[in-house]
Amino acid sequence: MTLGKTIQIFLPDGNPRSIRVAEITSRTVQAILIPRSKLDEASSRKELSGAGIYFLVGPQEDESMAKLYIGEAEDCLQRLKQHNKGKDFWTHALAVISRTQYFTKSHVKFLEHHAYQLASRTNRFILENGNTPPRPHVSESMEADLLDNFDTISTLVSTLGYPIFDEVKKPKAKDILVCTGIDAHAEGEYTEDGLVVFSGSTCRLVLTKASNTTFSKVREQLLDTGIIKQDNDQYLFQKDHIFSSPS
């Protein structure tokens, strides 16, 4: 049975599009969403100077996947300031810390590794990490505690609008949507995120005359990111992909 959760979201300046602080009321993990334009204002938040993991997220362009960078730091605020100078793609940062300052360097390195592995598996974002974060050694009991913490992290970042770790599960056969045309056959599901087109779906090589420049641009994005690749006389979806609308 799935149990309900109470999540508290605090708006430090009263603006719902500014900094947001989220926590499950019975847990010590806290997630702070920071628009890049509000990084200076975030500097006054003392909890950001602690150890934690963080996510840098870029905007979604057309119908391609948004970019994501996953990192860890003993001082999240200082690391975000470094990325503000060194990385261009991101518009928002999510910093995850412990309200009791429980996290150590080993803890956050384990959480970074686990977050990277799971984000790679769910495949909702294009990962910008140059290297795969290594898995540090932690005791069996510590690993169990950190995985429990990670469940909270996953819930909080999804609540704040970034379902990084939410798997796209293929529904039962009766719930699958099917679209068949000339040199094309696609299957998918309509979800709360939009229309998921499943891997293995195909589309024609040449756009129809009725297609507009928007469709052409979307297709270029899908090709550039490797979501579709040519397979003989058609394009083949290499992975599940979420579109914002059925069209």
Side-chain angles (χ1 to χ4, degrees):
M1 181 178 68
T2 302
L3 298 176
K5 296 178 176 66
T6 299
I7 297 177
Q8 176 178 285
I9 298 179
F10 174 61
L11 310 177
D13 61 6
N15 182 355
R17 300 184 66 183
S18 183
I19 298 170
R20 284 179 274 167
V21 182
E23 60 188 54
I24 295 177
T25 53
S26 59
R27 298 299 183 107
T28 60
V29 173
Q30 189 176 70
I32 305 171
L33 177 64
I34 308 165
R36 190 168 186 169
S37 61
K38 296 291 183 178
L39 191 56
D40 286 342
E41 287 89 331
S43 297
S44 63
R45 303 201 65 81
K46 295 181 180 180
E47 66 268 36
L48 282 173
S49 296
I53 64 171
Y54 61 88
F55 308 92
L56 305 179
V57 189
Q60 183 176 5
E61 298 178 4
D62 297 314
E63 295 291 349
S64 64
M65 293 189 292
K67 294 180 180 180
L68 170 71
Y69 180 89
I70 300 173
E72 56 79 24
E74 291 182 277
D75 186 326
C76 286
L77 180 60
Q78 288 304 313
R79 188 62 57 83
L80 291 179
K81 287 181 176 179
Q82 292 171 2
H83 287 314
N84 191 38
K85 297 178 180 179
K87 294 186 184 299
D88 294 330
F89 76 90
W90 62 284
T91 58
H92 289 77
L94 275 159
V96 180
I97 53 92
S98 166
R99 289 190 288 114
T100 59
Q101 298 183 336
Y102 166 76
F103 290 151
T104 66
K105 183 68 172 178
S106 294
H107 293 160
V108 295
K109 288 185 73 67
F110 177 87
L111 291 171
E112 176 197 35
H113 167 81
H114 187 68
Y116 181 90
Q117 295 296 322
L118 192 53
S120 299
R121 198 179 314 146
T122 55
N123 199 37
R124 282 177 171 263
F125 292 79
I126 299 172
L127 286 167
E128 288 290 294
N129 293 65
N131 301 301
T132 301
R135 187 185 193 280
H137 173 74
V138 295
S139 67
E140 183 180 5
S141 59
M142 181 58 64
E143 180 176 341
D145 287 344
L146 290 172
L147 290 177
D148 182 59
N149 290 147
F150 189 81
D151 284 341
T152 301
I153 294 171
S154 178
T155 299
L156 292 177
V157 297
S158 184
T159 299
L160 289 169
Y162 297 95
I164 298 169
F165 310 109
D166 295 356
E167 290 190 42
V168 178
K169 297 181 179 179
K170 199 166 185 176
K172 297 178 181 178
K174 65 178 182 179
D175 297 324
I176 293 176
L177 301 175
V178 179
C179 179
T180 301
I182 300 174
D183 299 325
H185 178 86
E187 295 184 354
E189 177 192 18
Y190 201 64
T191 70
E192 63 269 22
D193 296 311
L195 181 68
V196 180
V197 175
F198 297 129
S199 63
S201 296
T202 61
C203 53
R204 57 189 294 166
L205 286 178
V206 182
L207 287 169
T208 63
K209 293 181 180 180
S211 300
N212 57 34
T213 54
T214 299
F215 290 150
S216 178
K217 190 173 181 180
V218 168
R219 174 171 287 202
E220 289 177 7
Q221 291 279 357
L222 296 176
L223 285 167
D224 289 343
T225 54
I227 295 169
I228 61 174
K229 291 184 179 179
Q230 185 170 348
D231 182 52
N232 297 320
D233 59 349
Q234 60 189 2
Y235 286 124
L236 180 69
F237 275 76
Q238 305 297 305
K239 57 189 75 173
D240 297 341
H241 184 67
I242 301 172
F243 292 92
S244 59
S245 69
S247 60

